[in-house]
Amino acid sequence: MTIEEIIGLVSGLDGVLTLTPEPGDEWPELSWGDAFFYYSPDGVVPANVQPFATIVTKNYPGDETSRLDRPDTFRVNIHAGKKELARHVGQTPDDPADTDTLIAHPVYGNAGWLAVVNPASNTEPAIRELLETAYRLARARYERRAESARGR
């Protein structure tokens, strides 16, 4: 799977806002070239809400174990929840930089995030399923917040 294929897949879901920061945008330079997916039917980046999935193309401070500084390397990160994490990932791999291997996110695995460096044929079915799950969970969270706000 390429970055473009993943962006196309997720962006095609109803109500998804895809943020792809570039030089000159209002977003921090570190985020340039990456992608962040939110459930936001109004098209506005939500305040105080984490994306339900991301694509990162470089190491972030404190998150270097996937070695994203290698050429043509990226990682898709999916917040599919602890239930899906337990279902898909048995134990932590020896090397979180292995490609096309579904792992607990090296930093946020305990919070229900999964990750794959350079997903390909081995992980594509799981990636598609997990992105759909993460989307449904994000949509449900959005709807609960909206219902709560209406009830005030």
Side-chain angles (χ1 to χ4, degrees):
M1 297 183 84
T2 66
I3 290 173
E4 294 77 18
E5 288 172 332
I6 297 167
I7 290 173
L9 174 69
V10 180
S11 295
L13 298 170
D14 184 50
V16 169
L17 170 66
T18 301
L19 180 65
T20 53
E22 297 179 351
D25 285 350
E26 63 186 281
W27 310 107
E29 183 176 345
L30 181 61
S31 67
W32 296 352
D34 296 342
F36 305 85
F37 304 101
Y38 297 89
Y39 180 76
S40 180
D42 62 4
V44 176
V45 176
N48 304 315
V49 173
Q50 294 293 317
F52 67 85
T54 66
I55 298 171
V56 294
T57 58
K58 67 194 80 58
N59 292 329
Y60 276 65
D63 184 7
E64 297 89 11
T65 59
S66 293
R67 300 192 331 262
L68 299 177
D69 53 352
R70 297 174 285 168
D72 302 316
T73 304
F74 71 95
R75 186 180 68 211
V76 60
N77 306 300
I78 307 168
H79 186 216
K82 292 180 181 181
K83 179 179 173 185
E84 291 299 317
L85 178 72
R87 186 166 80 91
H88 286 279
V89 179
Q91 60 185 26
T92 304
D94 292 332
D95 187 356
D98 286 346
T99 61
D100 200 24
T101 302
L102 187 62
I103 62 169
H105 187 284
V107 177
Y108 303 111
N110 288 339
W113 282 82
L114 294 110
V116 177
V117 174
N118 289 7
S121 61
N122 188 48
T123 55
E124 183 173 352
I127 291 293
R128 289 178 178 278
E129 175 188 337
L130 290 166
L131 285 168
E132 179 68 31
T133 298
Y135 165 78
R136 284 194 320 271
L137 292 171
R139 185 175 181 157
R141 285 189 297 272
Y142 175 92
E143 290 170 353
R144 282 192 305 271
R145 282 190 305 274
E147 183 65 32
S148 177
R150 284 190 293 269
R152 290 184 195 168

